Amino acid sequence: MKTRFLCQLLGTQYPIIQAPMAGGILSADFIAKVCEFGFLGSIPSGYLSLAQLEDLIESVKSKTDKPFQVNLFVDHSQYPEEIVKPAEVIELEKSLGIFTSPTCSLPHLPSASAIIDLVIAHQVSVISTTFGVLLDEEYQRIKDAGGKVMVTVNSCNEAYQVLNAGHGDMIVYQNSLAGGHKGGFTDADYDIDDAILTLKRDYPHTPLIKSGGIITHQDIMLALEQGFDGVQIGTGFLMTQESSASETYKQALLELCDDNQLMQTSSITGRQARGVVNELAMLQLSESPTFPLQHYATQAIREHAKRHDLPQYQSLWAGSGAVNITSLPQLADYMFSLVNG
């Protein structure tokens, strides 16, 4: 594979990044194995306390000396300690027999600045951002420590905002085929691949990484032929035997027949995300709290559904490539297939 510049920046053998999927799907052992193979493993900091994140970083470091990245949800907003759940969420809890209170508490999560301090202290070489852009001072601290920043965008407009401000060393372009949350930071619609590749005209030395619809070696080669410098893969890694996704989750994806069984929804977390069509994803809300408030409003439902193997009430995030997955390979075999076809 080409794209030596990206590999040099990342310190990897291959221009392949394991997507930082939050929610307990990725263990330290899983991430370390990805790094050892020559890809860039990713630690998701979303929903973790600072202590939990530090434990995960230290655990990965104990298993590999290869580079990995830490991803953070950039959010400089202040949230209340408790919120009232939407009426529709309360009714759903009652129908499932789990209603206990019309309110829910929000945990105290670390700030982006605190996570950056932790990343620098542990000499993590790459940090990626989702849902926002770092403040000038935050970006500069990472650069002064010798780190590199990847910024997730969904459109050319977002990419140009980042690059014109000099706030990104690499761009992760997440297209409309990607599973999970829409990772950009504006309301801009998704751009198509050809549009985003025009960035190369104005910023030829900024690596552009494609995310969305990439499952196989052939998908990777197509992305490189298009002009992308590398790829980021989520669903393919999720659908390996070693991922911590539940068997119910994996089985739901194996049963997908076509893309019509996937949808974009904001009902689960308050932010647009792509996953399997089910009762929770289709929940109609008259007024939806924003992310992450809705994430915690539906948390009791999702946890109950996981405990009782109820796929209709889980967040089953998946990209369009999931419809082409017919088995659950071992992680090592899947990674081998990505580079050898």
Side-chain angles (χ1 to χ4, degrees):
M1 290 186 178
K2 300 178 182 179
T3 66
R4 290 182 181 176
F5 180 55
L6 176 62
C7 291
Q8 289 172 351
L9 279 179
L10 299 178
T12 61
Q13 184 177 355
Y14 304 104
I16 299 172
I17 300 169
Q18 159 244 307
M21 297 170 281
I25 290 174
L26 307 171
S27 68
D29 187 63
F30 186 103
I31 296 166
K33 285 179 178 177
V34 171
C35 297
E36 285 294 307
F37 193 87
F39 301 164
L40 186 72
S42 304
I43 293 178
S45 70
Y47 317 125
L48 299 182
S49 68
L50 205 59
Q52 289 172 323
L53 177 58
E54 184 163 32
D55 285 346
L56 187 51
I57 291 173
E58 290 177 341
S59 184
V60 172
K61 289 175 68 175
S62 74
K63 300 174 187 297
T64 182
D65 59 2
K66 300 293 179 61
F68 58 88
Q69 67 145 319
V70 170
N71 172 263
L72 65 88
F73 294 166
V74 179
D75 189 350
H76 298 101
S77 303
Q78 297 294 318
Y79 297 105
E81 295 182 356
E82 187 176 75
I83 63 167
V84 176
K85 302 170 189 174
E88 296 86 354
V89 171
I90 292 173
E91 288 304 310
L92 183 52
E93 286 186 348
K94 289 179 178 178
S95 72
L96 293 171
I98 62 170
F99 175 74
T100 59
S101 171
T103 64
C104 67
S105 299
L106 272 64
H108 178 70
L109 296 176
S111 65
S113 183
I115 293 174
I116 290 168
D117 287 341
L118 183 65
V119 167
I120 291 173
H122 282 278
Q123 299 180 312
V124 178
S125 59
V126 181
I127 190 166
S128 66
T129 63
T130 302
F131 304 152
V133 180
L134 297 174
L135 301 177
D136 292 346
E137 178 269 339
E138 293 169 340
Y139 178 75
Q140 194 58 50
R141 273 197 292 136
I142 296 170
K143 298 303 296 177
D144 289 345
K148 304 171 187 67
V149 178
M150 290 193 294
V151 183
T152 304
V153 305
N154 301 118
S155 67
C156 284
N157 179 266
E158 290 179 336
Y160 276 113
Q161 286 187 50
V162 172
L163 296 176
N164 290 340
H167 278 188
D169 304 299
M170 294 163 273
I171 295 293
V172 176
Y173 159 64
Q174 183 198 50
N175 63 30
S176 62
L177 303 180
H181 287 99
K182 185 178 181 182
F185 51 90
T186 70
D187 293 329
D189 291 334
Y190 290 97
D191 269 326
I192 60 173
D193 293 356
D194 289 344
I196 204 79
L197 282 165
T198 61
L199 286 170
K200 284 293 184 181
R201 179 190 60 208
D202 298 321
Y203 293 93
H205 302 299
T206 300
L208 190 58
I209 299 152
K210 181 179 178 180
S211 175
I214 300 166
I215 295 292
T216 67
H217 173 78
Q218 289 73 23
D219 297 331
I220 295 170
M221 297 311 297
L222 175 59
L224 298 182
E225 290 169 6
Q226 285 178 295
F228 290 96
D229 299 284
V231 299
Q232 179 172 279
I233 301 174
T235 305
F237 281 109
L238 182 152
M239 292 293 282
T240 59
Q241 293 180 27
E242 289 88 342
S243 91
S244 300
S246 69
E247 292 307 310
T248 300
Y249 190 167
K250 293 176 181 179
Q251 188 58 42
L253 298 196
L254 285 175
E255 293 173 358
L256 293 173
C257 298
D258 59 61
D259 205 44
N260 292 326
Q261 293 172 280
L262 298 170
M263 67 179 292
Q264 295 278 359
T265 178
S266 60
S267 298
I268 299 175
T269 68
R271 183 180 283 274
Q272 188 172 335
R274 184 180 179 86
V276 176
V277 176
N278 63 14
E279 294 293 331
L280 188 58
M282 294 189 294
L283 185 65
Q284 297 295 313
L285 301 174
S286 56
E287 186 175 347
S288 174
T290 58
F291 179 91
L293 306 186
Q294 180 68 358
H295 167 81
Y296 293 107
T298 63
Q299 188 172 35
I301 294 171
R302 290 179 285 110
E303 290 179 349
H304 171 79
K306 287 180 183 178
R307 287 194 301 271
H308 296 278
D309 295 327
L310 303 173
Q312 285 298 320
Y313 302 102
Q314 296 183 35
S315 53
L316 304 175
W317 306 134
S320 65
V323 301
N324 298 317
I325 298 176
T326 58
S327 63
L328 300 176
Q330 292 186 340
L331 176 60
D333 291 339
Y334 178 62
M335 292 189 290
F336 183 85
S337 76
L338 290 178
V339 297
N340 293 286

